Amino acid sequence: MTQTYQIALLPGDGIGPEIIGVTVYILNAVGQQYGLQFEFSQALIGGAAIDETGDPLPQETLDTCRRSDAVLLAAIGGYKWDNLPRRQRPETGLLGLRAGLELFANLRPAQILPQLVDSSTLKREVVEGVDIMVVRELTGGVYFGEPKGIFAAETGEQRGVNTMAYSDHEIDRIAKVAFETAQKRNQRLCSVDKANVLEVSQLWRDRVNALASSYPDIELSHMYVDNAAMQLVRAPKQFDTIVTGNLFGDILSDAAAMLTGSIGMLPSASIGDGNPGVFEPVHGSAPDIAGEDKANPLAQVLSAAMMLRYGLDEPAAADKLEKAVFQVLDQGYRTGDIMSEGMTYVGCQGMGDALLKAL
Ligand code: NAD
């Protein structure tokens, strides 16, 4: 029997259409093997949506996403839209999508694949075996807190204001996702905050501690964010699962990503309660290489694997997709961003063809 899934497809900007094009035919190929049929509904987001409608997240796009089983997103943004007012910027579309689907948890794996250990800028002995999952709170904290804005101060100066705020329920639900994620991994959870300075972090730490008794199998630790940044580059193997707020998570997950050496290899999943999840690569729209068949599609393909695993509960198909990625790397195929001596250079399409063969 064939299982049919509705997938909202958001190619966005820059290399987005190239990497999502490859991913669609790879998904169809894996679907055929596992009795899965994907019905894709393409919708506009980011700069492409601004050009067409003036709005980085048209209502129609949000409606399409809400009607689907999962959302596969590529990337948004580009030089062309950098100087628009904030509410019309591509990034505003992305934040709106996360808020509109109430995607409060962002899961970002940073795993060093044995085939790519030498892509890391850190020493082999430091990064070999690194396997970290950063669970970042996504819909609260300083990116959303009020008041915010640029105000005229009494001194005559301007004053820029953002507010870092978390309520009990926001901390509890992200901590729960993190404890449960750690249960599926190596049962270690490190909560990162700045509780020595920030009240909002003190509340974060108190709530995480309060939940810990419900997860006696998890070894919980706490770390200040500045130390966590240091430890990530000094001794990253000490981490299993990390949970942290929106701003700290934004920065630390990028630092964790760079341990692997290539941003073109990293997928992510954003999930909420009940709504479809959004699955997207960590990297941006890479406008510097857009349209040149140079983009690495593997992060997008691995995002599709996360979609199969976390969004559609199809772990066998997810495994197959991930295995195909490992296989093409074993065979020596490399896009420019992960190229090294003796390997076979391929473009975005070439990598897609190699994956198709591996499947
Ligand atoms: P970027 O991730 O787009 O690019 C950084 C560098 O990595 C570039 O040299 C790029 O060529 C390279 N790169 C990225 N993805 C690659 C891939 N798949 N294959 C090969 N090389 C790859 O980050 P940036 O340059 O800071 O931002 C460019 C635009 O993307 C900006 O408008 C930014 O706002 C936007 N952006 C979007 C997202 C998102 O959609 N989630 C995330 C980050 C940045």
Side-chain angles (χ1 to χ4, degrees), residues 15 19 74-78 82 91 94 98 263-264 280-289 294-296 337:
I15 60 170
I19 57 176
I76 52 90
D82 276 352
E91 293 76 9
L94 202 55
R98 290 169 183 166
I263 202 157
E280 57 178 313
V282 163
H283 59 73
S285 58
D288 52 331
I289 56 167
K294 285 182 180 165
N296 182 351
D337 57 314

Side-chain angles (χ1 to χ4, degrees), residues 192-205:
V192 172
D193 61 38
K194 189 74 183 166
N196 50 343
V197 178
L198 301 173
E199 281 74 11
V200 56
S201 278
Q202 187 56 56
L203 179 66
W204 178 282
R205 191 174 281 221

Side-chain angles (χ1 to χ4, degrees), residues 9-135:
L9 209 58
L10 311 184
D13 308 315
I15 60 170
E18 297 167 58
I19 57 176
I20 224 161
V22 164
T23 306
V24 163
Y25 69 72
I26 299 299
L27 260 177
N28 283 331
V30 85
Q32 268 176 12
Q33 296 175 11
Y34 289 86
L36 315 176
Q37 193 182 342
F38 302 105
E39 288 179 359
F40 297 102
S41 307
Q42 194 161 317
L44 292 165
I45 191 167
I50 296 169
D51 287 351
E52 194 94 352
T53 69
D55 181 350
L57 181 68
Q59 187 58 42
E60 203 183 321
T61 296
L62 196 52
D63 292 343
T64 301
C65 293
R66 285 194 175 124
R67 278 196 304 269
S68 62
D69 296 306
V71 180
L72 193 61
L73 168 68
I76 52 90
Y79 316 124
K80 183 178 168 190
W81 305 283
D82 276 352
N83 295 318
L84 290 171
R86 186 156 306 279
R87 75 190 153 71
Q88 281 174 6
R89 292 237 193 112
E91 293 76 9
T92 306
L94 202 55
L95 294 178
L97 183 68
R98 290 169 183 166
L101 296 177
E102 293 172 68
L103 304 171
F104 64 84
N106 183 223
L107 272 57
R108 283 181 52 170
Q111 189 185 9
I112 307 278
L113 302 179
Q115 301 93 335
L116 298 179
V117 174
D118 294 322
S119 299
S120 178
T121 49
L122 299 189
K123 290 185 194 131
R124 173 178 274 267
E125 59 266 31
V126 175
V127 292
E128 204 162 30
V130 162
D131 183 1
I132 301 172
M133 177 73 85
V134 180
V135 180

